[in-house]
Amino acid sequence: GVPGVGKEQALRLIQNLKGQTLLHRFLQWKEENPGLSEEVMKKVPHCQICRHPGSLKAHKRGGCQLCGSHQFCQPQDFDYRCPCDWHQHEQTRQASSLEANIWKKTLACDQFPFTEIIREFLVSKDKPGPHFRRRKPNLLLMQKFAYDKLEWPKHYTSEKVLVLMTYAELMNRKHGTDLSSQIKP
């Protein structure tokens, strides 16, 4: 419900939280600024084959420590994430940048953190409700209605309605609300 924050940004923020709940993070935002770290790291050259720190030339000569090779590198997939310090820092910087961007947009909202909506979602809805008596469909009335409104023949309506009647009968028996049975063996 924050203007300027779409589904994609919200999903990326949830992924970046790594197990921390969004509600917990919102409460932290009220207390502290998730600002960006000003630390700057210099990117070292990376090999084009294994995508690890070090040049291709250096890896051909002496191998790659991260690959465990002595002369040539192990090729890596396109989506491979390098474990070097610069890439780790860059990933953290992007995550905090996304969070800081969303945080700034939430400050513009007067009602943030939307306590009424949060309270509504915290109420458990998983409690089973009271069992109610299911009314049994009247086969003759359903056949007449289906013929008049849908132009269904009586035998076709019977196929569809008998399934509903059986379901209603079994559910009423299961919950002990059976009064008079329309279905007889």
Side-chain angles (χ1 to χ4, degrees):
V2 177
V5 178
K7 178 177 67 171
E8 296 296 323
Q9 279 187 325
L11 288 174
R12 278 191 297 182
L13 177 64
I14 292 169
Q15 286 174 345
N16 289 342
L17 292 179
K18 295 180 179 115
Q20 187 180 21
T21 65
L22 204 53
L23 296 177
H24 185 259
R25 196 66 182 153
F26 286 163
L27 294 175
Q28 283 181 345
W29 284 0
K30 286 176 71 175
E31 299 166 7
E32 63 187 50
N33 179 350
L36 297 169
S37 63
E38 300 299 325
E39 186 180 329
V40 177
M41 288 189 78
K42 185 178 179 188
K43 183 177 180 181
V44 295
H46 281 59
C47 176
Q48 296 171 351
I49 295 183
C50 68
R51 302 185 190 279
H52 290 143
S55 67
L56 177 63
K57 195 178 210 181
H59 283 190
K60 282 184 181 178
R61 283 190 212 132
C64 176
Q65 291 177 349
L66 293 173
C67 288
S69 64
H70 298 290
Q71 196 166 16
F72 292 102
C73 303
Q74 302 281 335
Q76 300 293 341
D77 292 333
F78 178 74
D79 58 346
Y80 173 75
R81 293 182 188 249
C82 177
C84 76
D85 292 338
W86 185 85
H87 278 104
Q88 295 295 330
H89 175 73
E90 186 64 17
Q91 188 176 1
T92 306
R93 188 192 64 77
Q94 286 177 356
S96 62
S97 172
L98 172 73
E99 186 174 345
N101 184 23
I102 293 174
W103 178 74
K104 286 176 190 172
K105 290 177 182 177
T106 59
L107 286 181
C109 291
D110 295 333
Q111 302 93 8
F112 185 79
F114 309 110
T115 52
E116 292 177 22
I117 297 171
I118 291 171
R119 262 190 259 120
E120 178 68 26
F121 278 99
L122 291 176
V123 173
S124 177
K125 306 269 193 254
D126 294 337
K127 298 175 189 169
H131 298 294
F132 59 93
R133 185 179 165 275
R134 288 162 181 80
R135 293 188 318 162
K136 297 170 194 145
N138 184 325
L139 183 60
L140 295 176
L141 289 175
M142 289 295 290
Q143 284 176 334
K144 183 178 180 339
F145 178 82
Y147 182 76
D148 292 344
K149 302 294 180 181
L150 304 172
E151 298 180 2
W152 286 2
K154 289 185 178 185
H155 71 278
Y156 183 76
T157 305
S158 296
E159 283 179 37
K160 302 300 179 190
V161 174
L162 282 175
V163 173
L164 291 173
M165 290 176 70
T166 305
Y167 175 77
E169 179 79 20
L170 292 175
M171 292 307 287
N172 285 337
R173 284 185 184 186
K174 176 183 175 185
H175 297 296
T177 55
D178 185 38
L179 299 173
S180 65
S181 178
Q182 284 185 342
I183 300 176
K184 305 243 189 235

